Amino acid sequence: MSDSSSTGHQASTLQSKAALVTGLYTGALLTMVMIGALVAANRLPGLENRALERNAASYSLFVLFMMIPVCRFLTRPLQMFTSAMIGWVIFVVTYNIAGLFFRNLFTVLRMSPFQALLEGAVVYGVCAVGSWVGAMILHARTHSILPRRRRADHEAPHHP
């Protein structure tokens, strides 16, 4: 194996590892926010008079943590999507398990685990495609787009 292919393989492995680790952390953080919000809403009646603030804090943290893979891999759409989906699948599995402990969770939130999985995939897919399109636009703006010139027939070398 040549040095250049070895270096490329190492870089690819490091990017894959970074996507995996970021996805695992994102999934853990999203899970903690969800469990914290569910416990606060269902098991702490003292917070009921502050429901608006409690929910706003939960939503804000959730969106902030959802954006970790997007910000971390803004210029690498494949790693962004991979990392985000690892984290999102962890969240959805935990959401499904939470439905066993919190009765009517899916009915109250009007979202099944499958719907949550699809919504996350769509959101992260749009972010990854947006990142890719943005990179293509920046590339087009910084590099001239000139068609290759063909030699005219009269310029072609003459071979007997």
Side-chain angles (χ1 to χ4, degrees), residues 36-70:
L38 288 171
V39 168
N42 294 291
R43 306 282 194 254
L44 300 174
L47 293 177
E48 194 60 38
N49 61 346
R50 297 279 184 204
L52 183 65
E53 292 88 351
R54 177 196 69 211
N55 292 343
S58 296
Y59 292 144
S60 298
L61 279 174
F62 197 81
V63 169
L64 179 71
F65 292 151
M66 269 186 79
M67 296 306 295
I68 289 172
V70 174

PDB file of all heavy atoms in Angstrom, residues 36-70:
ATOM      1  N   GLY A  36     -35.261  14.192  31.100  1.00  0.00           N
ATOM      2  CA  GLY A  36     -35.423  15.309  32.043  1.00  0.00           C
ATOM      3  C   GLY A  36     -36.749  16.025  31.851  1.00  0.00           C
ATOM      4  O   GLY A  36     -37.446  16.350  32.824  1.00  0.00           O
ATOM      5  N   ALA A  37     -37.119  16.256  30.598  1.00  0.00           N
ATOM      6  CA  ALA A  37     -38.386  16.935  30.314  1.00  0.00           C
ATOM      7  C   ALA A  37     -39.575  16.079  30.728  1.00  0.00           C
ATOM      8  O   ALA A  37     -40.552  16.587  31.295  1.00  0.00           O
ATOM      9  CB  ALA A  37     -38.474  17.276  28.824  1.00  0.00           C
ATOM     10  N   LEU A  38     -39.507  14.784  30.465  1.00  0.00           N
ATOM     11  CA  LEU A  38     -40.605  13.894  30.847  1.00  0.00           C
ATOM     12  C   LEU A  38     -40.753  13.793  32.366  1.00  0.00           C
ATOM     13  O   LEU A  38     -41.865  13.826  32.893  1.00  0.00           O
ATOM     14  CB  LEU A  38     -40.397  12.500  30.246  1.00  0.00           C
ATOM     15  CG  LEU A  38     -40.614  12.384  28.748  1.00  0.00           C
ATOM     16  CD1 LEU A  38     -40.170  11.013  28.249  1.00  0.00           C
ATOM     17  CD2 LEU A  38     -42.063  12.655  28.388  1.00  0.00           C
ATOM     18  N   VAL A  39     -39.647  13.675  33.063  1.00  0.00           N
ATOM     19  CA  VAL A  39     -39.695  13.608  34.524  1.00  0.00           C
ATOM     20  C   VAL A  39     -40.215  14.927  35.096  1.00  0.00           C
ATOM     21  O   VAL A  39     -41.080  14.940  35.975  1.00  0.00           O
ATOM     22  CB  VAL A  39     -38.308  13.247  35.102  1.00  0.00           C
ATOM     23  CG1 VAL A  39     -38.258  13.453  36.600  1.00  0.00           C
ATOM     24  CG2 VAL A  39     -37.946  11.809  34.745  1.00  0.00           C
ATOM     25  N   ALA A  40     -39.708  16.044  34.566  1.00  0.00           N
ATOM     26  CA  ALA A  40     -40.159  17.351  35.064  1.00  0.00           C
ATOM     27  C   ALA A  40     -41.649  17.559  34.813  1.00  0.00           C
ATOM     28  O   ALA A  40     -42.361  18.095  35.661  1.00  0.00           O
ATOM     29  CB  ALA A  40     -39.345  18.466  34.403  1.00  0.00           C
ATOM     30  N   ALA A  41     -42.142  17.111  33.664  1.00  0.00           N
ATOM     31  CA  ALA A  41     -43.549  17.330  33.320  1.00  0.00           C
ATOM     32  C   ALA A  41     -44.492  16.368  34.030  1.00  0.00           C
ATOM     33  O   ALA A  41     -45.627  16.733  34.335  1.00  0.00           O
ATOM     34  CB  ALA A  41     -43.737  17.201  31.817  1.00  0.00           C
ATOM     35  N   ASN A  42     -44.027  15.157  34.329  1.00  0.00           N
ATOM     36  CA  ASN A  42     -44.930  14.137  34.857  1.00  0.00           C
ATOM     37  C   ASN A  42     -44.715  13.779  36.325  1.00  0.00           C
ATOM     38  O   ASN A  42     -45.619  13.238  36.952  1.00  0.00           O
ATOM     39  CB  ASN A  42     -44.809  12.853  34.026  1.00  0.00           C
ATOM     40  CG  ASN A  42     -45.309  13.057  32.631  1.00  0.00           C
ATOM     41  OD1 ASN A  42     -46.491  13.228  32.415  1.00  0.00           O
ATOM     42  ND2 ASN A  42     -44.388  13.067  31.669  1.00  0.00           N
ATOM     43  N   ARG A  43     -43.554  14.051  36.854  1.00  0.00           N
ATOM     44  CA  ARG A  43     -43.263  13.601  38.212  1.00  0.00           C
ATOM     45  C   ARG A  43     -42.955  14.734  39.181  1.00  0.00           C
ATOM     46  O   ARG A  43     -42.751  14.487  40.361  1.00  0.00           O
ATOM     47  CB  ARG A  43     -42.075  12.632  38.206  1.00  0.00           C
ATOM     48  CG  ARG A  43     -42.202  11.449  37.272  1.00  0.00           C
ATOM     49  CD  ARG A  43     -43.110  10.382  37.839  1.00  0.00           C
ATOM     50  NE  ARG A  43     -42.971   9.120  37.105  1.00  0.00           N
ATOM     51  CZ  ARG A  43     -43.875   8.670  36.252  1.00  0.00           C
ATOM     52  NH1 ARG A  43     -44.957   9.363  35.998  1.00  0.00           N
ATOM     53  NH2 ARG A  43     -43.698   7.518  35.640  1.00  0.00           N
ATOM     54  N   LEU A  44     -42.899  15.945  38.696  1.00  0.00           N
ATOM     55  CA  LEU A  44     -42.623  17.101  39.566  1.00  0.00           C
ATOM     56  C   LEU A  44     -43.776  18.096  39.487  1.00  0.00           C
ATOM     57  O   LEU A  44     -43.728  19.070  38.730  1.00  0.00           O
ATOM     58  CB  LEU A  44     -41.306  17.774  39.149  1.00  0.00           C
ATOM     59  CG  LEU A  44     -40.045  16.905  39.200  1.00  0.00           C
ATOM     60  CD1 LEU A  44     -38.854  17.652  38.637  1.00  0.00           C
ATOM     61  CD2 LEU A  44     -39.762  16.429  40.618  1.00  0.00           C
ATOM     62  N   PRO A  45     -44.824  17.878  40.274  1.00  0.00           N
ATOM     63  CA  PRO A  45     -45.997  18.745  40.183  1.00  0.00           C
ATOM     64  C   PRO A  45     -45.709  20.203  40.570  1.00  0.00           C
ATOM     65  O   PRO A  45     -46.433  21.103  40.154  1.00  0.00           O
ATOM     66  CB  PRO A  45     -47.001  18.109  41.153  1.00  0.00           C
ATOM     67  CG  PRO A  45     -46.223  17.185  42.005  1.00  0.00           C
ATOM     68  CD  PRO A  45     -44.975  16.824  41.276  1.00  0.00           C
ATOM     69  N   GLY A  46     -44.644  20.439  41.300  1.00  0.00           N
ATOM     70  CA  GLY A  46     -44.295  21.803  41.680  1.00  0.00           C
ATOM     71  C   GLY A  46     -43.904  22.678  40.492  1.00  0.00           C
ATOM     72  O   GLY A  46     -43.951  23.905  40.568  1.00  0.00           O
ATOM     73  N   LEU A  47     -43.536  22.054  39.388  1.00  0.00           N
ATOM     74  CA  LEU A  47     -43.150  22.812  38.187  1.00  0.00           C
ATOM     75  C   LEU A  47     -44.325  23.085  37.258  1.00  0.00           C
ATOM     76  O   LEU A  47     -44.150  23.721  36.217  1.00  0.00           O
ATOM     77  CB  LEU A  47     -42.060  22.068  37.414  1.00  0.00           C
ATOM     78  CG  LEU A  47     -40.700  21.954  38.082  1.00  0.00           C
ATOM     79  CD1 LEU A  47     -39.757  21.130  37.225  1.00  0.00           C
ATOM     80  CD2 LEU A  47     -40.117  23.330  38.337  1.00  0.00           C
ATOM     81  N   GLU A  48     -45.508  22.623  37.637  1.00  0.00           N
ATOM     82  CA  GLU A  48     -46.671  22.778  36.758  1.00  0.00           C
ATOM     83  C   GLU A  48     -47.016  24.246  36.514  1.00  0.00           C
ATOM     84  O   GLU A  48     -47.421  24.617  35.414  1.00  0.00           O
ATOM     85  CB  GLU A  48     -47.879  22.034  37.344  1.00  0.00           C
ATOM     86  CG  GLU A  48     -49.015  21.858  36.368  1.00  0.00           C
ATOM     87  CD  GLU A  48     -48.608  21.068  35.124  1.00  0.00           C
ATOM     88  OE1 GLU A  48     -47.830  20.107  35.226  1.00  0.00           O
ATOM     89  OE2 GLU A  48     -49.077  21.440  34.020  1.00  0.00           O
ATOM     90  N   ASN A  49     -46.839  25.088  37.526  1.00  0.00           N
ATOM     91  CA  ASN A  49     -47.150  26.505  37.338  1.00  0.00           C
ATOM     92  C   ASN A  49     -46.101  27.213  36.475  1.00  0.00           C
ATOM     93  O   ASN A  49     -46.299  28.361  36.085  1.00  0.00           O
ATOM     94  CB  ASN A  49     -47.317  27.216  38.688  1.00  0.00           C
ATOM     95  CG  ASN A  49     -46.061  27.152  39.530  1.00  0.00           C
ATOM     96  OD1 ASN A  49     -45.152  26.376  39.251  1.00  0.00           O
ATOM     97  ND2 ASN A  49     -46.017  27.958  40.581  1.00  0.00           N
ATOM     98  N   ARG A  50     -45.013  26.561  36.183  1.00  0.00           N
ATOM     99  CA  ARG A  50     -43.961  27.094  35.305  1.00  0.00           C
ATOM    100  C   ARG A  50     -43.826  26.244  34.040  1.00  0.00           C
ATOM    101  O   ARG A  50     -42.735  26.084  33.489  1.00  0.00           O
ATOM    102  CB  ARG A  50     -42.618  27.115  36.035  1.00  0.00           C
ATOM    103  CG  ARG A  50     -42.569  28.008  37.227  1.00  0.00           C
ATOM    104  CD  ARG A  50     -42.333  29.396  36.750  1.00  0.00           C
ATOM    105  NE  ARG A  50     -42.191  30.290  37.889  1.00  0.00           N
ATOM    106  CZ  ARG A  50     -42.427  31.554  37.800  1.00  0.00           C
ATOM    107  NH1 ARG A  50     -42.798  32.072  36.652  1.00  0.00           N
ATOM    108  NH2 ARG A  50     -42.274  32.328  38.841  1.00  0.00           N
ATOM    109  N   ALA A  51     -44.927  25.704  33.557  1.00  0.00           N
ATOM    110  CA  ALA A  51     -44.901  24.788  32.409  1.00  0.00           C
ATOM    111  C   ALA A  51     -44.339  25.455  31.158  1.00  0.00           C
ATOM    112  O   ALA A  51     -43.580  24.834  30.404  1.00  0.00           O
ATOM    113  CB  ALA A  51     -46.295  24.239  32.141  1.00  0.00           C
ATOM    114  N   LEU A  52     -44.702  26.696  30.912  1.00  0.00           N
ATOM    115  CA  LEU A  52     -44.217  27.383  29.722  1.00  0.00           C
ATOM    116  C   LEU A  52     -42.695  27.519  29.741  1.00  0.00           C
ATOM    117  O   LEU A  52     -42.018  27.208  28.754  1.00  0.00           O
ATOM    118  CB  LEU A  52     -44.881  28.758  29.595  1.00  0.00           C
ATOM    119  CG  LEU A  52     -44.505  29.556  28.354  1.00  0.00           C
ATOM    120  CD1 LEU A  52     -45.002  28.847  27.095  1.00  0.00           C
ATOM    121  CD2 LEU A  52     -45.079  30.962  28.440  1.00  0.00           C
ATOM    122  N   GLU A  53     -42.173  27.953  30.860  1.00  0.00           N
ATOM    123  CA  GLU A  53     -40.715  28.107  30.980  1.00  0.00           C
ATOM    124  C   GLU A  53     -40.015  26.756  30.925  1.00  0.00           C
ATOM    125  O   GLU A  53     -38.962  26.616  30.297  1.00  0.00           O
ATOM    126  CB  GLU A  53     -40.356  28.819  32.296  1.00  0.00           C
ATOM    127  CG  GLU A  53     -40.788  30.259  32.357  1.00  0.00           C
ATOM    128  CD  GLU A  53     -42.214  30.439  32.887  1.00  0.00           C
ATOM    129  OE1 GLU A  53     -42.948  29.421  33.055  1.00  0.00           O
ATOM    130  OE2 GLU A  53     -42.610  31.587  33.118  1.00  0.00           O
ATOM    131  N   ARG A  54     -40.598  25.762  31.598  1.00  0.00           N
ATOM    132  CA  ARG A  54     -40.032  24.413  31.607  1.00  0.00           C
ATOM    133  C   ARG A  54     -39.962  23.862  30.187  1.00  0.00           C
ATOM    134  O   ARG A  54     -38.921  23.341  29.753  1.00  0.00           O
ATOM    135  CB  ARG A  54     -40.908  23.515  32.483  1.00  0.00           C
ATOM    136  CG  ARG A  54     -40.488  22.066  32.524  1.00  0.00           C
ATOM    137  CD  ARG A  54     -41.580  21.183  33.080  1.00  0.00           C
ATOM    138  NE  ARG A  54     -42.686  21.121  32.128  1.00  0.00           N
ATOM    139  CZ  ARG A  54     -43.958  20.974  32.456  1.00  0.00           C
ATOM    140  NH1 ARG A  54     -44.311  20.897  33.716  1.00  0.00           N
ATOM    141  NH2 ARG A  54     -44.887  20.909  31.524  1.00  0.00           N
ATOM    142  N   ASN A  55     -41.050  23.989  29.438  1.00  0.00           N
ATOM    143  CA  ASN A  55     -41.078  23.483  28.065  1.00  0.00           C
ATOM    144  C   ASN A  55     -40.154  24.269  27.150  1.00  0.00           C
ATOM    145  O   ASN A  55     -39.487  23.689  26.287  1.00  0.00           O
ATOM    146  CB  ASN A  55     -42.502  23.497  27.526  1.00  0.00           C
ATOM    147  CG  ASN A  55     -43.389  22.488  28.224  1.00  0.00           C
ATOM    148  OD1 ASN A  55     -42.900  21.571  28.879  1.00  0.00           O
ATOM    149  ND2 ASN A  55     -44.689  22.661  28.102  1.00  0.00           N
ATOM    150  N   ALA A  56     -40.090  25.577  27.327  1.00  0.00           N
ATOM    151  CA  ALA A  56     -39.190  26.398  26.506  1.00  0.00           C
ATOM    152  C   ALA A  56     -37.733  26.009  26.734  1.00  0.00           C
ATOM    153  O   ALA A  56     -36.952  25.905  25.779  1.00  0.00           O
ATOM    154  CB  ALA A  56     -39.402  27.882  26.795  1.00  0.00           C
ATOM    155  N   ALA A  57     -37.372  25.769  27.985  1.00  0.00           N
ATOM    156  CA  ALA A  57     -36.002  25.347  28.287  1.00  0.00           C
ATOM    157  C   ALA A  57     -35.707  23.978  27.667  1.00  0.00           C
ATOM    158  O   ALA A  57     -34.637  23.772  27.089  1.00  0.00           O
ATOM    159  CB  ALA A  57     -35.791  25.306  29.798  1.00  0.00           C
ATOM    160  N   SER A  58     -36.667  23.076  27.764  1.00  0.00           N
ATOM    161  CA  SER A  58     -36.473  21.735  27.187  1.00  0.00           C
ATOM    162  C   SER A  58     -36.334  21.797  25.670  1.00  0.00           C
ATOM    163  O   SER A  58     -35.435  21.175  25.096  1.00  0.00           O
ATOM    164  CB  SER A  58     -37.652  20.829  27.551  1.00  0.00           C
ATOM    165  OG  SER A  58     -37.709  20.634  28.936  1.00  0.00           O
ATOM    166  N   TYR A  59     -37.220  22.543  25.015  1.00  0.00           N
ATOM    167  CA  TYR A  59     -37.151  22.669  23.553  1.00  0.00           C
ATOM    168  C   TYR A  59     -35.847  23.325  23.120  1.00  0.00           C
ATOM    169  O   TYR A  59     -35.229  22.904  22.136  1.00  0.00           O
ATOM    170  CB  TYR A  59     -38.327  23.477  23.011  1.00  0.00           C
ATOM    171  CG  TYR A  59     -39.672  22.799  23.144  1.00  0.00           C
ATOM    172  CD1 TYR A  59     -40.814  23.535  23.429  1.00  0.00           C
ATOM    173  CD2 TYR A  59     -39.820  21.430  22.977  1.00  0.00           C
ATOM    174  CE1 TYR A  59     -42.054  22.926  23.553  1.00  0.00           C
ATOM    175  CE2 TYR A  59     -41.051  20.813  23.096  1.00  0.00           C
ATOM    176  CZ  TYR A  59     -42.159  21.565  23.382  1.00  0.00           C
ATOM    177  OH  TYR A  59     -43.375  20.958  23.501  1.00  0.00           O
ATOM    178  N   SER A  60     -35.437  24.348  23.846  1.00  0.00           N
ATOM    179  CA  SER A  60     -34.197  25.056  23.489  1.00  0.00           C
ATOM    180  C   SER A  60     -32.991  24.134  23.594  1.00  0.00           C
ATOM    181  O   SER A  60     -32.140  24.100  22.691  1.00  0.00           O
ATOM    182  CB  SER A  60     -33.999  26.275  24.391  1.00  0.00           C
ATOM    183  OG  SER A  60     -35.055  27.180  24.219  1.00  0.00           O
ATOM    184  N   LEU A  61     -32.901  23.398  24.698  1.00  0.00           N
ATOM    185  CA  LEU A  61     -31.786  22.464  24.846  1.00  0.00           C
ATOM    186  C   LEU A  61     -31.825  21.375  23.772  1.00  0.00           C
ATOM    187  O   LEU A  61     -30.792  20.996  23.225  1.00  0.00           O
ATOM    188  CB  LEU A  61     -31.819  21.811  26.231  1.00  0.00           C
ATOM    189  CG  LEU A  61     -31.248  22.622  27.374  1.00  0.00           C
ATOM    190  CD1 LEU A  61     -31.483  21.903  28.703  1.00  0.00           C
ATOM    191  CD2 LEU A  61     -29.769  22.884  27.165  1.00  0.00           C
ATOM    192  N   PHE A  62     -33.016  20.891  23.475  1.00  0.00           N
ATOM    193  CA  PHE A  62     -33.162  19.831  22.482  1.00  0.00           C
ATOM    194  C   PHE A  62     -32.670  20.305  21.113  1.00  0.00           C
ATOM    195  O   PHE A  62     -31.889  19.621  20.451  1.00  0.00           O
ATOM    196  CB  PHE A  62     -34.629  19.377  22.418  1.00  0.00           C
ATOM    197  CG  PHE A  62     -34.818  18.064  21.744  1.00  0.00           C
ATOM    198  CD1 PHE A  62     -34.605  16.880  22.432  1.00  0.00           C
ATOM    199  CD2 PHE A  62     -35.194  17.999  20.419  1.00  0.00           C
ATOM    200  CE1 PHE A  62     -34.773  15.652  21.805  1.00  0.00           C
ATOM    201  CE2 PHE A  62     -35.372  16.790  19.788  1.00  0.00           C
ATOM    202  CZ  PHE A  62     -35.151  15.606  20.484  1.00  0.00           C
ATOM    203  N   VAL A  63     -33.111  21.482  20.700  1.00  0.00           N
ATOM    204  CA  VAL A  63     -32.689  22.017  19.397  1.00  0.00           C
ATOM    205  C   VAL A  63     -31.191  22.307  19.395  1.00  0.00           C
ATOM    206  O   VAL A  63     -30.489  22.020  18.413  1.00  0.00           O
ATOM    207  CB  VAL A  63     -33.508  23.275  19.029  1.00  0.00           C
ATOM    208  CG1 VAL A  63     -32.920  23.981  17.831  1.00  0.00           C
ATOM    209  CG2 VAL A  63     -34.961  22.896  18.774  1.00  0.00           C
ATOM    210  N   LEU A  64     -30.687  22.838  20.493  1.00  0.00           N
ATOM    211  CA  LEU A  64     -29.253  23.121  20.597  1.00  0.00           C
ATOM    212  C   LEU A  64     -28.442  21.837  20.431  1.00  0.00           C
ATOM    213  O   LEU A  64     -27.478  21.791  19.654  1.00  0.00           O
ATOM    214  CB  LEU A  64     -28.947  23.780  21.938  1.00  0.00           C
ATOM    215  CG  LEU A  64     -27.497  24.123  22.204  1.00  0.00           C
ATOM    216  CD1 LEU A  64     -27.072  25.294  21.326  1.00  0.00           C
ATOM    217  CD2 LEU A  64     -27.298  24.451  23.672  1.00  0.00           C
ATOM    218  N   PHE A  65     -28.851  20.774  21.118  1.00  0.00           N
ATOM    219  CA  PHE A  65     -28.127  19.511  21.024  1.00  0.00           C
ATOM    220  C   PHE A  65     -28.335  18.837  19.666  1.00  0.00           C
ATOM    221  O   PHE A  65     -27.442  18.135  19.183  1.00  0.00           O
ATOM    222  CB  PHE A  65     -28.515  18.578  22.165  1.00  0.00           C
ATOM    223  CG  PHE A  65     -28.046  19.054  23.513  1.00  0.00           C
ATOM    224  CD1 PHE A  65     -28.751  18.733  24.652  1.00  0.00           C
ATOM    225  CD2 PHE A  65     -26.908  19.837  23.657  1.00  0.00           C
ATOM    226  CE1 PHE A  65     -28.335  19.166  25.901  1.00  0.00           C
ATOM    227  CE2 PHE A  65     -26.478  20.287  24.901  1.00  0.00           C
ATOM    228  CZ  PHE A  65     -27.196  19.944  26.027  1.00  0.00           C
ATOM    229  N   MET A  66     -29.498  19.046  19.054  1.00  0.00           N
ATOM    230  CA  MET A  66     -29.717  18.507  17.707  1.00  0.00           C
ATOM    231  C   MET A  66     -28.739  19.110  16.697  1.00  0.00           C
ATOM    232  O   MET A  66     -28.377  18.466  15.716  1.00  0.00           O
ATOM    233  CB  MET A  66     -31.136  18.828  17.216  1.00  0.00           C
ATOM    234  CG  MET A  66     -32.171  17.802  17.533  1.00  0.00           C
ATOM    235  SD  MET A  66     -33.736  18.226  16.754  1.00  0.00           S
ATOM    236  CE  MET A  66     -33.447  17.703  15.063  1.00  0.00           C
ATOM    237  N   MET A  67     -28.336  20.334  16.935  1.00  0.00           N
ATOM    238  CA  MET A  67     -27.480  21.036  15.985  1.00  0.00           C
ATOM    239  C   MET A  67     -26.002  20.670  16.114  1.00  0.00           C
ATOM    240  O   MET A  67     -25.192  21.089  15.288  1.00  0.00           O
ATOM    241  CB  MET A  67     -27.652  22.551  16.149  1.00  0.00           C
ATOM    242  CG  MET A  67     -29.055  23.043  15.818  1.00  0.00           C
ATOM    243  SD  MET A  67     -29.618  22.547  14.192  1.00  0.00           S
ATOM    244  CE  MET A  67     -28.484  23.434  13.161  1.00  0.00           C
ATOM    245  N   ILE A  68     -25.642  19.882  17.115  1.00  0.00           N
ATOM    246  CA  ILE A  68     -24.225  19.528  17.302  1.00  0.00           C
ATOM    247  C   ILE A  68     -23.629  18.884  16.052  1.00  0.00           C
ATOM    248  O   ILE A  68     -22.586  19.331  15.565  1.00  0.00           O
ATOM    249  CB  ILE A  68     -24.037  18.646  18.557  1.00  0.00           C
ATOM    250  CG1 ILE A  68     -24.267  19.485  19.821  1.00  0.00           C
ATOM    251  CG2 ILE A  68     -22.647  18.014  18.585  1.00  0.00           C
ATOM    252  CD1 ILE A  68     -24.302  18.678  21.106  1.00  0.00           C
ATOM    253  N   PRO A  69     -24.230  17.828  15.482  1.00  0.00           N
ATOM    254  CA  PRO A  69     -23.616  17.235  14.282  1.00  0.00           C
ATOM    255  C   PRO A  69     -23.612  18.188  13.087  1.00  0.00           C
ATOM    256  O   PRO A  69     -22.688  18.162  12.274  1.00  0.00           O
ATOM    257  CB  PRO A  69     -24.485  16.009  13.973  1.00  0.00           C
ATOM    258  CG  PRO A  69     -25.349  15.793  15.146  1.00  0.00           C
ATOM    259  CD  PRO A  69     -25.405  17.065  15.915  1.00  0.00           C
ATOM    260  N   VAL A  70     -24.621  19.032  13.000  1.00  0.00           N
ATOM    261  CA  VAL A  70     -24.701  19.977  11.878  1.00  0.00           C
ATOM    262  C   VAL A  70     -23.546  20.969  11.964  1.00  0.00           C
ATOM    263  O   VAL A  70     -22.852  21.223  10.967  1.00  0.00           O
ATOM    264  CB  VAL A  70     -26.068  20.697  11.865  1.00  0.00           C
ATOM    265  CG1 VAL A  70     -26.103  21.772  10.796  1.00  0.00           C
ATOM    266  CG2 VAL A  70     -27.197  19.698  11.664  1.00  0.00           C
TER     267      VAL A  70
END
